[in-house]
Amino acid sequence: MLPPAISHHLRRPRWLLAAVVLIDLMVVGLAAVTIELDLTGRRQAAQDSARMVSGILADEIDHYLGHVSLELQTIADEAARRDAGTKASDPTTVTAFLDRHRRRVAGLSEISLIDAEGRVGPTTSGARDSPNLPVGQLAFFADLRDNSAAELVVSRPIADPTGQRRLLLIGHRIDLPEGRFGGIVMAVLPADYLAGLFAVIHPERGMHISLLNRQMEFIARYPAVAAMEGASISTAASDESRALIEAGQEAASFRAVSRLDGQPRTSFLRKVPGQPLYFNVGTADETYLKPWRAEGTRVGLVAAGFVALSLLLTWAVRRNWAEREAAIAAMEVAHAEIRSHAERLDMALRGANDGWWDWDILLDEMYVSPRWWEMLGHDPHGTCGSPDMWRSRAHPDDQPRVEDEIARVIASERTTLQIEIRLRHAGGHYLPILMRGYILRDFSGRALRMSGTSTDLTEIRRVEATLQAMFDLSPLGKCRTEPDGRILDVNAALLNTVGASRTALTGTVLPGIIPQSGDGEEGRQREQLDSEGAFGPFETTLPHADGGEVPVRLRGVWIRADGGPGSIYIIVEDITEERTVLRALEDRTRDLARSNADLEQFAYVASHDLREPLRMVSGFLGLLERRYTPNIDSEGVQFIAFAKEGAQRMDRLILDLLDFSRIGRTGTPQDSVSVTAAIGQAIRNLAVGIEESGAEIAIAPALDEARVCGDPVQLTSLFQNLIGNALKYRDPTRPPRIGVTGQIVGIHWEISVSDNGIGIEPDYFDRIFRLFQRLHTREQFDGTGIGLAVCRKIVEHHGGRIWVESIPGEGSTFIVTLPVADA
Ligand code: ADP
């Protein structure tokens, strides 16, 4: 399994792209710097090369001109000497002399002697480069003439007589002995000879070599350019060169755009020592820019290739990473699911308090869960290994049986196993364990592995033992039978009830213990057992061992836990005694009812018959009063009055008693009576008293629709008594307030009559409902003490109840319940 935070460790490196871009930028920068450095190097090399070439050429020209100067000096010296001595020499000799010297210096086409006026004198024979040159008018002649210090002066380039070549005139001053100017020795040098000299050093391709004079005129150029014939400063030399020359610079490097071909050049300007001549050696930038560009392109391509490759690789890596992340995410989801399944399984098994095990039959290796170890009192992380774990802990009596059973199941085709075994707990005692397993087989049916649970049955065994004790010790008879009624197990109480022994009863059918199908109650009980799996309570008789019968009440339930036929569990109540008591009770009730009826009859007859003599006593007392009052003294009159009053009271008592005895003589009243109608009638009967006392009576609207099951006359009498009492027992300090409310509670209307009268002490709450019980003397409140007894009788006769709640000094509430009448 993956550790939970694996994705954390495998997070895509966000910095990868940034790092690659940084490296790419560095590579590009490096390439740019390389290219730039290459350019600088190449430019420097071009400069160095121009400097070197100009140096070599300057030396060469210096050397060459030195040579020329030496020859011209010799001639000049000779001319001066000749002029001072003989004056006239043989022209042929002179010419030969000049020619001899001319040949000594390569390149010179002619040497002539020019007199002080500038006329051309003897000249070397052969070539006639300069016939008719107006030497005397040339600036270089004037330079030599006017400057006695001047030795060798090179003229500006001039065209030869054919106009095809350009010539340089090199003159040397002839100083006569007295210091006079004696003319010049002039050598003619074709300019292209110099250019030929440049070629000797094999200048690099693209290199331009120019020899310029101080006026910036081209004297010679390599390679030769026709357009430069007669070119002057304004067309060929750059302002830069001129500026440098004017600044007196003898050697300097500069860059400028050529006016000739419009190309930028790197040039080196160098003065020829001792001569107003300058070399300008230049290399067109293009010469080194081209290879530089090629090189730069190569470097650029390599860099671009690297960048492209790195970006491609990064993209590939990131893509690969994204795929890996997706795969890891999927793995994590799967992993979480597996974990939650495993946790759920573990929790489920823990909830069931079961251990589990997994046995690889082929390798004979076994894994057991921590709970398995815990169950046997070991460290939950005990080591796992072979099935010896349980073998070594099995009870010696169980082990062979269990081994056999396992071997049998493995050899069979069965896929499940269920075995009970006792395993030794770490504490030394044995635990009853239920092993249930599932067997995994290959195609050929060979058992490969077996996994399952181990359940500790200790608690179940304990409960079983408790239940057995309850079964055995119960005072109620109990038994367990096969569905056909054969007794499997029976307790002492039942054995006692039927007077049989356990051995006699076990395995036999006790007739009547299970209801049999048929008519009547027993048949119905049987149906109930078959359809609902239970019967009873059901009264029947069981045969007693002594031949008699025992009346019993049976209850039974069919226990079919494992889908088999199951067994029936029956409770047997011996009701012999109950029957006897019941019978006695019925006899007593009957007797009581009879004596009650007699009493009521007696009370009725007595009160009815008593009124007759009483009426006679009252009648004669009235006669006595009317006729003899004038003749007897006042005491006698008073006695008569007392006697009359006593007779009246007795009459009231008898009437009340008559009322009382009448109630209950009829059957239970069944009319639907409106409660408000009964109350209304009572109020009307009490109208005088209500008015006198100024009472207010409020009847709750809840009672408007209230109807109860009863006798309208008796109910009127009930409410009349209650409201009458409320008026009678009023507090003299306040007018009576009477409220009647009601609510349905269960099957009854609960109706309350409350007042604000004098109230009743709680001690008398019961007493006041008894016959003749009064709390006051006649002088305080008139009455017979029968009213509330009548009320109770009426209410109870209607199947209700009456009681009182009161706070002395504040008031009382009488509550009656009466059965709700069906609508
Ligand atoms: P009588 O009213 O004729 O005395 P009752 O049986 O009606 O007889 O009442 C019994 C006694 O209960 C009365 O004497 C009286 O003390 C008490 N009693 C009844 N109703 C009330 C009431 N509403 N408030 C206070 N006391 C009462």
Side-chain angles (χ1 to χ4, degrees):
M1 278 188 191
L2 288 167
I6 186 159
S7 59
H8 176 73
H9 299 293
L10 292 178
R11 263 309 150 224
R12 186 190 320 193
R14 305 267 165 221
W15 44 263
L16 181 67
L17 185 64
V20 168
V21 167
L22 198 73
I23 290 171
D24 285 351
L25 283 175
M26 280 164 65
V27 166
V28 169
L30 210 64
V33 168
T34 306
I35 292 169
E36 179 60 29
L37 284 178
D38 189 33
L39 177 65
T40 319
R42 282 170 194 276
R43 187 173 287 153
Q44 187 62 47
Q47 267 175 22
D48 290 350
S49 166
R51 177 192 291 121
M52 207 175 70
V53 167
S54 67
I56 292 170
L57 290 180
D59 282 353
E60 190 67 17
I61 293 294
D62 183 34
H63 181 71
Y64 182 76
L65 289 180
H67 212 144
V68 172
S69 175
L70 203 65
E71 292 308 320
L72 296 189
Q73 175 80 60
T74 311
I75 296 169
D77 289 351
E78 185 54 33
R81 196 180 49 77
R82 188 183 49 113
D83 203 22
T86 62
K87 195 84 173 172
S89 298
D90 175 19
T92 320
T93 317
V94 172
T95 309
F97 171 74
L98 291 179
D99 205 37
R100 205 165 47 246
H101 282 283
R102 180 188 68 84
R103 279 200 300 272
R104 279 193 187 166
V105 183
L108 293 183
S109 63
E110 197 181 319
I111 292 181
S112 312
L113 287 174
I114 311 294
D115 68 12
E117 275 73 42
R119 287 184 300 267
V120 177
T123 187
T124 50
S125 55
R128 280 289 182 268
D129 274 338
S130 54
N132 308 323
L133 270 176
V135 176
Q137 294 162 25
L138 295 175
F140 101 106
F141 178 81
D143 279 353
L144 285 165
R145 184 191 59 203
D146 300 340
N147 185 0
S148 59
E151 286 189 347
L152 194 75
V153 174
V154 181
S155 77
R156 295 164 72 168
I158 53 172
D160 77 347
T162 63
Q164 285 174 356
R165 290 198 303 170
R166 293 170 55 71
L167 305 172
L168 289 176
L169 305 179
I170 306 168
H172 197 284
R173 184 182 156 104
I174 302 169
D175 284 316
L176 294 177
E178 61 274 29
R180 255 187 321 118
F181 174 65
I184 65 168
V185 185
M186 183 185 81
V188 178
L189 176 68
D192 52 8
Y193 176 77
L194 290 179
L197 278 184
F198 302 166
V200 173
I201 62 155
H202 298 298
E204 297 165 19
R205 230 159 55 79
M207 185 174 267
H208 298 254
I209 305 167
S210 309
L211 183 64
L212 306 157
N213 64 11
R214 182 178 272 280
Q215 289 73 34
M216 291 284 105
E217 288 165 326
F218 275 103
I219 290 165
R221 189 175 189 274
Y222 172 91
V225 180
M228 284 169 47
E229 296 287 324
S232 76
I233 189 165
S234 63
T235 56
S238 72
D239 295 342
E240 194 85 28
S241 310
R242 186 212 292 269
L244 286 170
I245 291 166
E246 280 173 0
Q249 290 268 11
E250 302 228 321
S253 174
F254 63 92
R255 288 188 74 241
V257 176
S258 162
R259 293 206 181 146
L260 194 65
D261 52 16
Q263 285 205 2
R265 285 215 183 121
T266 299
S267 303
F268 196 86
L269 187 79
R270 185 189 290 272
K271 187 174 182 295
V272 177
Q275 289 298 328
L277 296 176
Y278 298 86
F279 271 108
N280 184 0
V281 177
T283 313
D285 284 358
E286 202 49 33
T287 331
Y288 62 82
L289 282 179
K290 217 162 133 194
W292 170 76
R293 265 191 220 109
E295 184 66 24
T297 309
R298 216 166 32 246
V299 171
L301 279 177
V302 169
F306 178 85
V307 168
L309 198 68
S310 64
L311 287 176
L312 198 74
L313 274 172
T314 309
W315 173 79
V317 165
R318 282 174 66 93
R319 210 181 116 111
N320 180 277
W321 221 291
E323 278 166 10
R324 275 176 69 183
E325 275 184 347
I328 288 166
M331 251 163 79
E332 279 184 340
V333 169
H335 171 64
E337 227 164 85
I338 289 170
R339 203 165 38 207
S340 89
H341 280 311
E343 277 167 7
R344 242 179 278 154
L345 175 67
D346 205 42
M347 271 168 65
L349 287 171
R350 271 189 180 272
N353 217 10
D354 286 355
W356 59 278
W357 44 267
D358 181 34
W359 177 28
D360 188 322
I361 297 170
L362 298 184
L363 297 176
D364 203 28
E365 281 177 357
M366 193 165 198
Y367 167 81
V368 295
S369 73
R371 170 68 198 140
W372 194 91
W373 288 113
E374 230 171 57
M375 208 153 49
L376 294 178
H378 292 281
D379 176 1
H381 303 293
T383 47
C384 300
S386 79
D388 283 343
M389 291 183 287
W390 69 265
R391 283 195 190 112
S392 61
R393 290 178 173 79
H395 193 284
D397 293 351
D398 291 352
Q399 195 184 347
R401 175 180 56 83
V402 171
E403 297 271 20
D404 281 359
E405 174 69 9
I406 291 175
R408 216 159 45 73
V409 169
I410 286 178
S412 75
E413 289 181 353
R414 277 168 53 188
T415 51
T416 56
L417 167 92
Q418 180 159 333
I419 303 177
E420 245 193 84
I421 183 173
R422 281 169 291 172
L423 294 181
R424 200 176 55 249
H425 188 271
H429 58 282
Y430 282 91
L431 299 179
I433 301 283
L434 177 68
M435 276 169 58
R436 276 176 292 199
Y438 176 81
I439 302 141
L440 190 74
R441 295 178 185 277
D442 64 10
F443 289 119
S444 66
R446 187 171 51 146
L448 301 176
R449 70 192 303 147
M450 198 192 296
S451 304
T453 57
S454 294
T455 311
D456 181 2
L457 299 179
T458 311
E459 187 57 23
I460 292 175
R461 292 280 177 272
R462 205 178 57 74
V463 172
E464 278 174 359
T466 311
L467 285 175
Q468 189 63 45
M470 285 165 69
F471 181 84
D472 291 341
L473 302 177
S474 170
L476 286 173
K478 288 178 183 174
C479 66
R480 212 158 53 81
T481 74
E482 298 274 12
D484 62 8
R486 268 180 300 136
I487 305 279
L488 291 169
D489 200 1
V490 57
N491 76 346
L494 182 53
L495 292 174
N496 188 34
T497 301
V498 296
S501 72
R502 187 181 300 275
T503 34
L505 218 52
T506 309
T508 63
V509 175
L510 182 62
I513 193 78
I514 292 176
Q516 299 301 315
S517 29
D519 299 330
E521 182 59 21
E522 186 170 351
R524 270 200 301 284
Q525 292 295 333
R526 178 70 218 188
E527 275 170 28
Q528 199 182 322
L529 176 62
D530 291 334
S531 60
E532 295 167 24
F535 69 91
F538 156 59
E539 287 178 13
T540 183
T541 54
L542 290 179
H544 194 271
D546 63 8
E549 285 193 329
V550 191
V552 289
R553 188 180 294 121
L554 301 179
R555 280 186 185 82
V557 60
W558 203 328
I559 296 168
R560 271 182 289 208
D562 50 5
S567 56
I568 300 175
Y569 181 80
I570 303 159
I571 294 178
V572 183
E573 239 176 302
D574 185 346
I575 53 171
T576 314
E577 213 166 301
E578 191 183 306
R579 283 262 169 102
T580 317
V581 170
L582 206 66
R583 219 168 289 135
L585 204 69
E586 276 169 4
D587 292 350
R588 282 264 296 278
T589 311
R590 224 179 358 260
D591 291 352
L592 258 175
R594 202 181 306 125
S595 90
N596 249 359
D598 290 351
L599 266 174
E600 270 174 14
Q601 183 65 20
F602 164 75
Y604 178 73
V605 173
S607 36
H608 188 265
D609 291 359
L610 274 175
R611 286 196 74 197
E612 191 49 41
L614 191 61
R615 258 202 303 276
M616 221 168 78
V617 171
S618 310
F620 281 106
L621 277 174
L623 205 65
L624 206 65
E625 189 184 27
R626 277 197 306 278
R627 201 175 291 178
Y628 298 102
T629 300
N631 304 328
I632 52 176
D633 58 9
S634 63
E635 211 171 17
V637 173
Q638 202 176 4
F639 290 163
I640 291 173
F642 283 157
K644 241 180 87 184
E645 196 190 318
Q648 274 169 5
R649 235 183 38 245
M650 191 159 183
D651 189 45
R652 271 250 325 268
L653 251 167
I654 290 171
L655 277 174
D656 284 354
L657 264 177
L658 213 55
D659 279 351
F660 182 80
S661 68
R662 248 188 233 124
I663 305 162
R665 278 158 66 86
T666 55
T668 316
Q670 293 295 340
D671 295 344
S672 168
V673 182
S674 159
V675 174
T676 43
I679 295 170
Q681 186 55 49
I683 290 173
R684 278 193 293 283
N685 295 349
L686 293 166
V688 179
I690 292 170
E691 201 175 309
E692 270 176 13
S693 61
E696 267 178 32
I697 303 177
I699 299 166
L703 288 170
D704 286 353
E705 303 295 322
R707 297 191 81 81
V708 295
C709 206
D711 179 315
V713 179
Q714 287 180 15
L715 291 178
T716 302
S717 164
L718 167 72
F719 290 117
Q720 192 172 326
N721 264 312
L722 294 177
I723 296 168
N725 278 351
L727 293 172
K728 196 197 308 181
Y729 298 106
R730 66 173 176 267
D731 189 315
T733 62
R734 54 191 178 231
R737 295 269 177 278
I738 300 167
V740 187
T741 58
Q743 60 180 9
I744 290 179
V745 178
I747 57 164
H748 288 102
W749 267 103
E750 195 177 280
I751 301 160
S752 317
V753 179
S754 45
D755 61 49
N756 62 344
I758 58 171
I760 305 160
E761 288 291 339
D763 286 350
Y764 304 120
F765 281 0
D766 270 344
R767 212 173 111 181
I768 53 172
F769 293 103
R770 290 188 216 141
L771 208 54
F772 305 126
Q773 294 298 328
R774 308 200 66 231
L775 304 182
H776 308 280
T777 59
R778 243 176 328 105
E779 283 70 35
Q780 288 170 300
F781 294 102
D782 186 29
T784 57
I786 294 177
L788 286 180
V790 167
C791 288
R792 188 168 77 171
K793 206 166 176 201
I794 292 173
V795 171
E796 285 178 353
H797 187 53
H798 280 74
R801 275 189 332 116
I802 182 166
W803 70 95
V804 69
E805 289 166 4
S806 173
I807 300 172
E810 286 188 17
S812 315
T813 300
F814 285 83
I815 302 134
V816 298
T817 64
L818 293 166
V820 175
D822 294 334

